[in-house]
Amino acid sequence: MSAETSVPRPRESDVEVVDPSLLTGLMFQTPYALAFFDPAGRFLRANDVFGDVVGVSVDDLAGRLPGETLAADLTALIEGAVRTVVEEERGIHDGDHRVRVRSADGETRHWALSFSPIRDDEEKLRTVALVGVDVTESRQTEEDLRRSEERYRSLVEAQSQLVWITSPSGAVVEDAPRWRAITGQGLEEYLAHGWLEVVHPDDRQHTEEAWREALRGRTMFEWNYRVRTRASGYRHFEVRAVPIIRHGRVVEWVGANTDVTPQREAEEMRGRLTDQLGAAALRTARLQGATAMLAEALTVEQVVQVIIDVGRTAVAADKSAVALLDPDRAVLKLINSSGVPDVPGFPGDEIPLGQSSVMTMAVNSRRPVFAESSDSLSAQLRDAGADEETIARFTGHDEERAWVGLPLLAAGRALGALRFSFTRPQKISQEDGVFLEALAGQCALAVERATLFEREHRTAETLQRSLLPDRLPVVPGLMLAQRFRSGSRHVQVGGDWYDAFVLQDSRVAAVVGDVMGKGVVAAAGMGRIRNAMRALALTNPPPAAVLTGLDRVFEATEDEEQVTTLAYMVVEPGSGEGTLALAGHPPPVLVSPQGVPLLCDAEPGTPLGWAASRKQFRFCVPPGHTAVLYSDGLVENRKRGLDAGLAELCSVVQEAPPEVVGSPHLLLDFLVDRMLAGYEQDDDVTVLAIHVPGATKSD
């Protein structure tokens, strides 16, 4: 067999188609798989394409039967086809025989095989020719089309759609059995434009116009209409149709109708319910919003601000006022005087209960006061015993035209009153009245809670400050400074504390501690720990011994869940030599005369009461240096973690001017102001500075 694959130059006109060179060129340049068999089924010749398909060299095929070289399934196919051609002397074409072959790279290819008889001049069958065509792409196209059709059919069935087809002009030319089953139309009645006959008369004209417009513009048709059903009722359908365009021409329209009656009925029901319950839902949402805002308000001032905001947004009031009752003096004290009109003769910041007004009427009667107009308010004031001069003061100016007064009641006890006013007459329905009474109830609870909070806050703050030293000791060779900034009045008082005192050996003990928690409980716990620490330090001052003793005291007096930390140091005036012990507290920072910060790297230890072997460390404050002890409120808050706070503290120290670094008082002011700038203070801040003055020329 020749391996020559090029097509030789044609000879002169006497060339014959049986020329071996032409056959060789055809064999090895065609993309088809070719093989020739003798009548006994043996390979006569095959090209490389066939060899690649079957995975056998063409040299190994010549003269052999298929079963000697090919796989069993392929052998059976070829031998059967050759036998049929020989016995019946006819070809096998049109891809009746197909084979799936996996190539060397693992890809599966599909081949269609045709078998043809080749006869000699005497019409005797001499050879059977096999021609193989790679149909992988067409096979994949057929498979994709089949899957697409299956998916489309499944989708249509799953969505219960009515699919229909029309001609390019919009005439129905194919039956739609599901449509006719719903409408009860016969086939003749449905064909052409018969479908319009079952569209609701009110929808028919607009539907036809929209359909004609889509036909003219060859654009998607999307519409909604009602269709008369077999039962003579109407159902709502959504329709969508698209033009099928080939070579720039519309060949047909394909559409689908979807029954949306349940959705439409549900929408109509929701609409009716929305109309009926819309106002109630809005009032409920407003009340919930007001309740949520009131729940976050801690102080009376914050509660009043929420009430003003709610009056503006939920009630649409032009002005809102809150007054609290002083039962001992029988007066209402206005919290926000801007909520009442600024006119001559109008009651001031204090309104006696015996003086008729919207607020006093609400408090005295324990019932809401609704005045929708000036005449209504005049009548109610007159019934309450007000004289005409008083009535004229309320109604004789143009600023207010409607009023609402609500008593603030807690367990039947009057706390005060709310006042909403409007610059126009206001219709107040029964539902509005229920909403306003519920709002007043929530406001009363918030006012009561805020009043108790402020009372406890003042008590705890007083207790906390009473337990702190009145002044720091004055010791030669040492300067002490402190700053204590209580949490704002919107934050409960905590258990921060500081102390400094002179020991028996003339050294100075300095401590900053933090009793976790808020309110009176934390302040009282701070007092117990402070007193115990003083007693232990005066008896046995080394820091490790003091912390060990505090652990025993803590276990005996404090709850298990209580957490208390502190930093305690003993320093010698003049030299600054000292020792330090930490009980789970942030490390002190040492500031050099040049303003260089150095965080103490002593072991932080564990909070008081935790089983631990207490250790103390040498901590020297050289002359000219300042040691700063502080509570976590200085460096940590809701937006800044401890590590970030410590890094920021060092940065702030480096920014301090020289005159600030040399003065412990100025340094503490600088640190506190800069560390709290831009943050909402949510904890007490306690800072204690121990400064050892540098040597002077006179020294």
Side-chain angles (χ1 to χ4, degrees), residues 163-167 171-176 190 252-255:
V163 180
W164 46 267
I165 299 174
T166 74
S167 67
V172 178
V173 294
E174 293 187 18
D175 189 11
Y190 168 67
E252 63 183 5
W253 288 76
V254 178

Side-chain angles (χ1 to χ4, degrees), residues 497 501 510-515 525-538 540-558 564-569 581-583 606-612 614:
W497 57 287
F501 49 91
V511 61
V512 169
D514 186 2
V515 178
M526 175 265 286
R528 289 191 296 271
I529 298 300
R530 171 186 175 274
N531 293 335
M533 196 224 67
R534 270 207 172 209
L536 291 168
L538 292 172
N540 189 13
V546 171
L547 263 59
T548 301
L550 284 177
D551 283 335
R552 291 194 293 268
V553 172
F554 195 91
E555 291 176 355
T557 62
E558 306 303 316
T564 299
T565 67
L566 60 84
Y568 170 58
M569 67 176 294
L582 299 176
T606 58
L608 292 182
W610 293 33
R614 296 299 178 182

Side-chain angles (χ1 to χ4, degrees), residues 132-150:
V133 181
D134 188 339
V135 294
T136 304
E137 283 72 17
S138 61
R139 177 68 175 270
Q140 185 62 45
T141 301
E142 294 173 359
E143 180 66 18
D144 292 344
L145 180 60
R146 182 185 62 80
R147 290 181 180 178
S148 177
E149 292 175 348
E150 290 177 350

Side-chain angles (χ1 to χ4, degrees), residues 240 250 579 588 613:
R240 175 176 294 182
V250 176
T579 52
S613 176

Side-chain angles (χ1 to χ4, degrees), residues 373-670:
S373 63
S374 298
D375 293 340
S376 174
L377 179 61
S378 298
Q380 294 185 59
L381 289 172
R382 194 173 289 111
D383 291 341
D387 55 31
E388 294 302 321
E389 182 180 354
T390 300
I391 295 174
R393 282 201 302 268
F394 279 101
T395 61
H397 57 88
D398 297 331
E399 189 174 347
E400 297 178 335
R401 284 289 175 264
W403 300 263
V404 171
L406 301 168
L408 296 176
L409 305 175
R413 178 172 58 90
L415 302 178
L418 304 183
R419 183 183 191 273
F420 299 124
S421 61
F422 308 85
T423 57
R424 60 199 177 284
Q426 188 79 8
K427 179 65 177 176
I428 302 173
S429 65
Q430 182 178 359
E431 292 79 8
D432 293 333
V434 173
F435 165 74
L436 290 169
E437 289 190 65
L439 176 62
Q442 294 298 319
C443 292
L445 293 175
V447 167
E448 184 178 39
R449 183 177 63 250
T451 303
L452 293 174
F453 170 80
E454 290 187 344
R455 185 182 306 151
E456 180 184 354
H457 189 280
R458 288 192 296 269
T459 301
E461 187 172 14
T462 301
L463 174 61
Q464 184 181 30
R465 290 189 178 276
S466 69
L467 294 173
L468 298 176
D470 295 333
R471 58 184 180 275
L472 297 175
V474 177
V475 181
L478 203 66
M479 294 179 63
L480 299 172
Q482 60 80 22
R483 293 293 182 270
F484 175 77
R485 184 177 294 185
S486 175
S488 68
R489 59 191 303 261
H490 303 325
V491 179
Q492 294 190 40
V493 173
D496 279 19
W497 57 287
Y498 66 90
D499 202 358
F501 49 91
V502 180
L503 300 173
Q504 294 179 354
D505 57 4
S506 298
R507 292 184 301 168
V508 175
V511 61
V512 169
D514 186 2
V515 178
M516 303 302 177
K518 303 294 181 183
V520 176
V521 174
M526 175 265 286
R528 289 191 296 271
I529 298 300
R530 171 186 175 274
N531 293 335
M533 196 224 67
R534 270 207 172 209
L536 291 168
L538 292 172
T539 304
N540 189 13
V546 171
L547 263 59
T548 301
L550 284 177
D551 283 335
R552 291 194 293 268
V553 172
F554 195 91
E555 291 176 355
T557 62
E558 306 303 316
D559 296 333
E560 291 183 0
E561 62 272 12
Q562 179 61 58
V563 178
T564 299
T565 67
L566 60 84
Y568 170 58
M569 67 176 294
V570 176
V571 62
E572 183 177 345
S575 68
E577 287 292 335
T579 52
L580 168 73
L582 299 176
H585 204 77
V589 61
L590 184 65
V591 182
S592 74
Q594 294 76 32
V596 178
L598 177 64
L599 282 175
C600 175
D601 59 357
E603 183 178 329
T606 58
L608 292 182
W610 293 33
S613 176
R614 296 299 178 182
K615 298 179 181 179
Q616 63 186 35
F617 307 89
R618 178 178 179 272
F619 185 73
C620 181
V621 185
H625 288 63
T626 304
V628 180
L629 308 181
Y630 51 90
S631 64
D632 60 356
L634 180 69
V635 295
E636 190 175 20
N637 53 46
R638 296 176 183 175
K639 296 182 179 180
R640 180 175 61 195
L642 179 59
D643 292 340
L646 293 176
E648 189 170 342
L649 176 62
C650 293
S651 298
V652 170
V653 169
Q654 293 174 333
E655 297 171 1
E659 63 273 15
V660 170
V661 174
S663 169
H665 295 280
L666 295 178
L667 178 61
L668 293 191
D669 288 336
F670 184 81

Side-chain angles (χ1 to χ4, degrees), residues 79-264:
E79 289 181 345
V82 171
R83 188 181 308 112
T84 299
V85 172
V86 172
E87 293 177 354
E88 300 180 8
E89 294 190 359
R90 66 176 180 85
I92 300 175
H93 306 292
D94 300 327
D96 292 341
H97 288 66
R98 296 200 176 194
V99 61
R100 185 174 59 186
V101 179
R102 183 177 295 274
S103 61
D105 58 1
E107 182 182 5
T108 299
R109 310 291 296 179
H110 295 269
W111 289 81
L113 305 182
S114 297
F115 297 84
S116 304
I118 298 178
R119 298 177 176 85
D120 57 15
D121 294 340
E122 297 178 358
E123 292 299 320
K124 182 177 181 181
L125 191 148
R126 300 292 301 275
T127 305
V128 176
L130 178 153
V131 179
V133 181
D134 188 339
V135 294
T136 304
E137 283 72 17
S138 61
R139 177 68 175 270
Q140 185 62 45
T141 301
E142 294 173 359
E143 180 66 18
D144 292 344
L145 180 60
R146 182 185 62 80
R147 290 181 180 178
S148 177
E149 292 175 348
E150 290 177 350
R151 291 169 182 167
Y152 171 75
R153 183 169 56 256
S154 300
L155 182 62
V156 170
E157 293 176 354
Q159 295 183 348
S160 301
Q161 292 182 325
L162 308 179
V163 180
W164 46 267
I165 299 174
T166 74
S167 67
S169 64
V172 178
V173 294
E174 293 187 18
D175 189 11
R178 294 189 61 189
W179 169 273
R180 294 194 297 105
I182 291 175
T183 61
Q185 287 183 304
L187 179 59
E188 295 297 328
E189 184 181 5
Y190 168 67
L191 292 178
H193 299 288
W195 61 274
L196 272 172
E197 297 299 324
V198 294
V199 174
H200 193 284
D202 294 342
D203 303 337
R204 191 174 301 161
Q205 179 179 352
H206 296 298
T207 300
E208 185 175 11
E209 291 175 354
W211 174 232
R212 293 301 177 192
E213 182 65 26
L215 291 174
R216 286 190 296 269
R218 303 198 305 179
T219 58
M220 179 183 294
F221 175 62
E222 292 182 286
W223 205 252
N224 296 275
Y225 51 70
R226 289 165 288 177
V227 173
R228 185 184 67 242
T229 65
R230 183 189 297 270
S232 297
Y234 283 91
R235 298 188 68 82
H236 292 270
F237 280 85
E238 285 185 354
V239 59
R240 175 176 294 182
V242 294
I244 306 301
I245 300 176
R246 294 175 188 164
H247 307 298
R249 296 175 57 253
V250 176
V251 296
E252 63 183 5
W253 288 76
V254 178
N257 285 28
T258 304
D259 189 341
V260 294
T261 304
Q263 296 91 312
R264 282 297 185 91

